[in-house]
């Protein structure tokens, strides 16, 4: 069942559209960095790990912020709408008879996660490879120059003028050992987050199953609420970042608390498991 659903997903226009948008985004970021550094001294060019599409830099500021706005809609498309499609095409019952109700919903959830993950990770990994073969290892990172005497205070947050929750730099030993490995880890974490949120929207489709358009709204409204909290509490101490979609984007910002995002993701996973279990029981009783 998983294999069949996976083949169905990769042939869907929605999945291909998200994949294409992500490809366009990472190549635009790549080209913007090339045009910005063309003819510059090696020492002034960002290292490969810091030219990734998930790393904020003033070179790509406008594209980056547009992409962040689009994210709540992009993660819906890969496969989260497939339950609505099956229901509208009147094949839901036939698929459940073929595989069993429990297998149907669990398999769809797994493929939804895989689709959300792949639609983001593959373009990001291509971007990672391109950056590695294009840009020099200059020691200039998104957190500052490795050879700057103030670099320690930049990565540890010792120089912050306000109190903030969480470490300034997650996985600091890895960051100091390999910026490329650090960026790749965050590409994986970011893609996992997108896969989880995509599966969450799939569970929401059990309730909002009349229209695909309405399915675009719930997660957008949730992220908008978190962004509103971000604006309200930005100037308060200890500062905590509420922007859940930017937690695994590397912007050098502080206040990103692993405990907070961990609780959010665990809550989402709990809703996913509960929602799938509830829908299985509901269909079995019917």
């Amino acid at each position: 069942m998983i294999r069949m659903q996976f083949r169905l997903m990769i042939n869907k226009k929605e999945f291909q559209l998200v994949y294409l948008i992500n490809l366009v985004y990472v190549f635009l970021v790549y080209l913007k960095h090339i045009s910005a550094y063309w003819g510059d001294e090696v020492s002034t060019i960002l290292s490969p790990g810091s030219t990734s599409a998930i790393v904020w830099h003033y070179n790509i500021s406008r594209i980056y912020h547009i992409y962040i706005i689009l994210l709540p809609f992009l993660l819906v498309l890969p496969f989260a709408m497939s339950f609505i499609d099956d229901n509208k095409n009147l094949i839901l019952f036939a698929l459940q008879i073929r595989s069993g109700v429990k297998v149907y919903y669990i398999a769809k959830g797994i493929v939804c996660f895989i689709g959300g993950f792949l639609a983001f990770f593959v373009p990001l990994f291509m971007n990672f490879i391109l950056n590695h073969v294009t840009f020099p290892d200059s020691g200039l990172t998104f957190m500052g120059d490795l050879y700057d005497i103030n670099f320690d205070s930049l990565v540890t947050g010792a120089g912050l003028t306000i109190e903030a929750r969480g470490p300034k730099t997650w996985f600091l030993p890895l960051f100091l050992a390999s910026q490329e490995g650090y960026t790749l880890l965050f590409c994986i974490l970011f893609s996992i987050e997108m896969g989880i949120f995509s599966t969450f929207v799939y569970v929401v489709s059990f309730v909002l199953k009349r229209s695909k358009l309405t399915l675009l709204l719930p997660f957008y409204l949730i992220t908008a609420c978190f962004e509103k909290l971000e604006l309200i509490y930005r100037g308060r101490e200890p500062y905590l970042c509420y922007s859940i979609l930017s937690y695994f984007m590397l912007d050098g910002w502080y206040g990103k608390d692993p405990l907070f995002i961990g609780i959010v993701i665990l809550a989402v996973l709990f809703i996913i498991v509960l929602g799938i279990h509830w829908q299985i029981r509901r269909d079995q009783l019917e």
Side-chain angles (χ1 to χ4, degrees), residues 107-243:
K108 225 173 215 341
I110 291 171
V111 173
C112 192
F113 169 78
I114 294 171
F117 176 84
L118 291 178
F120 289 89
F121 179 71
V122 174
L124 286 173
F125 186 69
M126 293 172 66
N127 176 241
F128 174 82
I129 297 297
L130 277 173
N131 291 338
H132 191 70
V133 300
T134 304
F135 298 103
D137 189 7
S138 63
L140 187 61
T141 76
F142 70 95
M143 292 291 289
D145 193 336
L146 278 171
Y147 308 110
D148 192 306
I149 58 173
N150 297 315
F151 186 72
D152 287 351
S153 64
L154 290 172
V155 296
T156 60
L160 290 178
T161 56
I162 69 169
E163 185 183 354
R165 297 272 294 275
K168 179 66 164 63
T169 306
W170 293 11
F171 313 112
L172 182 56
L174 176 60
F175 176 77
L176 296 174
S178 171
Q179 283 76 53
E180 289 82 1
Y182 187 81
T183 304
L184 183 59
L185 172 63
F186 272 82
C187 287
I188 294 170
L189 292 174
F190 173 76
S191 303
I192 289 173
E193 184 188 35
M194 294 302 102
I196 291 171
F197 289 155
S198 182
T199 311
F200 169 78
V201 179
Y202 157 67
V203 170
V204 172
S205 72
F206 300 157
V207 179
L208 303 177
K209 55 186 176 184
R210 293 188 180 276
S211 171
K212 287 185 177 181
L213 289 177
T214 57
L215 202 58
L216 293 171
L217 293 176
F219 194 75
Y220 171 77
L221 294 175
I222 291 170
T223 55
C225 289
F226 277 107
E227 291 297 333
K228 186 66 176 177
L229 287 173
E230 172 70 16
L231 291 174
I232 293 171
Y233 292 103
R234 179 167 289 177
R236 303 188 185 183
E237 296 186 30
Y239 169 69
L240 172 65
C241 176
Y242 286 97
S243 181

Side-chain angles (χ1 to χ4, degrees), residues 5 17 35 40 51 66 74 84 105 115 133 181 184 187 190 192 224 227 234-235 244 246 259 281:
Q5 293 286 350
L17 176 63
S35 64
D40 286 2
T51 50
I66 291 172
L74 293 180
I84 295 177
Y105 284 110
V133 300
L184 183 59
C187 287
F190 173 76
I192 289 173
E227 291 297 333
R234 179 167 289 177
I244 58 174
S246 69
L259 179 62
R281 289 295 300 273

Side-chain angles (χ1 to χ4, degrees), residues 96 100-102 105 277-286:
Q96 290 180 351
V101 174
K102 184 176 181 179
Y105 284 110
H277 177 72
W278 172 78
Q279 187 65 27
I280 289 171
R281 289 295 300 273
R282 182 182 177 186
D283 280 14
Q284 285 175 338
L285 290 173
E286 290 178 356

Side-chain angles (χ1 to χ4, degrees), residues 41-82:
E41 291 288 333
V42 170
S43 60
T44 64
I45 300 175
L46 283 174
S47 295
S50 294
T51 50
S52 170
I54 64 165
V55 178
W56 180 88
H57 192 267
Y58 60 83
N59 289 342
I60 61 163
S61 179
R62 184 175 297 178
I63 304 172
Y64 179 92
H65 289 300
I66 291 172
Y67 184 69
I68 288 288
I69 293 169
L70 290 176
L71 271 181
F73 303 107
L74 293 180
L75 58 85
V76 173
L77 296 176
F79 206 53
M81 297 177 174
S82 59

